[in-house]
C-alpha cells in the first residue's frame, strides 16, 4: 500500500470531499452553481496552508514507513582508509607509499524479536493518521468555502431584494 500512488495529492479534483447532499436541485440550472462550488473548494484547498502542511507531513510519514521497511533488508557498508588518515610515517618515502585499504561489512537481521515489525507498524499507523489529518483538513476547507459561498449568495439576495424595494418605493413616491 505504501509504494502506490496516493489519492492525497493536492492537484486532484476534491469534489469527493464536498458533502453528498450538494446535488443539482433543478436539473441543468443548478449545475453551474455546483461547478462554482467545486472550483472554489479546489482553489481554497490548493491555497490552504493547513492542507499544504498536512500534505507535507503525509509525504514525510510515507518516507518514514519506507525507511522502517528498509531495516528488513541486508545492510552493506564500505569504509575506505587512505594514507592520510594513518599514523605519520617516519620518512618522506614511507608517507608517499601509504596505501588505501577497504573494509566492507554486511549485516543481515536474522531475528530481532519483532523490533522491526513493531517499528514498521508504528510508522504505518503514523502514515494512516497523517492521511486522515490531510483528508480532514481538505473537508474542513471545503465546508468553510461552501459556507462562505452560501453567505455570499444570501448577501447578494438581500441586496437585490433591497434594490427592488427601493425601486418600488421610488415608483410609489
Amino acid at each position: 500500500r505504501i509504494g502506490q500512488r496516493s489519492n492525497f495529492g493536492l492537484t486532484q479534483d476534491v469534489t469527493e470531499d464536498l458533502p453528498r447532499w450538494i446535488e443539482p436541485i433543478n436539473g441543468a440550472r443548478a449545475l453551474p452553481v455546483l461547478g462554482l462550488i467545486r472550483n472554489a473548494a479546489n482553489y481554497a484547498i490548493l491555497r490552504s496552508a493547513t492542507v499544504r502542511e498536512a500534505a507535507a507531513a503525509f509525504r514525510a510519514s510515507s518516507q518514514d514507513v519506507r525507511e522502517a521497511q528498509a531495516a528488513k533488508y541486508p545492510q552493506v557498508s564500505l569504509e575506505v582508509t587512505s594514507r592520510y588518515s594513518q599514523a605519520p610515517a617516519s620518512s618522506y618515502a614511507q608517507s608517499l607509499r601509504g596505501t588505501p585499504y577497504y573494509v566492507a561489512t554486511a549485516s543481515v537481521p536474522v531475528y530481532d524479536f519483532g523490533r522491526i515489525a513493531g517499528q514498521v507498524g508504528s510508522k504505518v499507523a503514523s502514515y494512516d493518521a497523517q492521511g486522515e489529518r490531510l483528508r480532514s483538513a481538505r473537508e474542513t476547507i471545503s465546508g468553510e468555502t461552501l459556507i462562505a459561498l452560501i453567505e455570499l449568495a444570501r448577501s447578494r439576495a438581500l441586496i437585490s431584494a433591497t434594490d427592488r424595494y427601493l425601486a418600488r418605493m421610488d415608483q410609489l413616491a
Side-chain angles (χ1 to χ4, degrees), residues 14-15 26 39 45 61 84 91 123 134 139 165 169-170:
V14 295
T15 55
N26 292 326
N39 289 339
I45 286 171
S61 66
Y84 302 109
S91 71
K123 299 297 183 181
L134 176 58
E139 289 172 1
Y165 176 76
M169 287 295 120
D170 285 342

Side-chain angles (χ1 to χ4, degrees), residues 66-119:
R66 289 189 184 122
E67 181 183 354
Q69 287 173 336
K72 296 178 184 177
Y73 303 112
Q75 309 295 313
V76 178
S77 64
L78 178 65
E79 178 183 334
V80 178
T81 305
S82 70
R83 66 176 179 250
Y84 302 109
S85 63
Q86 296 174 353
S90 59
S91 71
Y92 179 72
Q94 285 180 334
S95 68
L96 292 177
R97 284 192 307 247
T99 57
Y101 63 93
Y102 307 96
V103 176
T105 59
S107 64
V108 178
V110 176
Y111 188 73
D112 64 355
F113 300 97
R115 181 184 58 86
I116 294 174
Q119 289 175 344

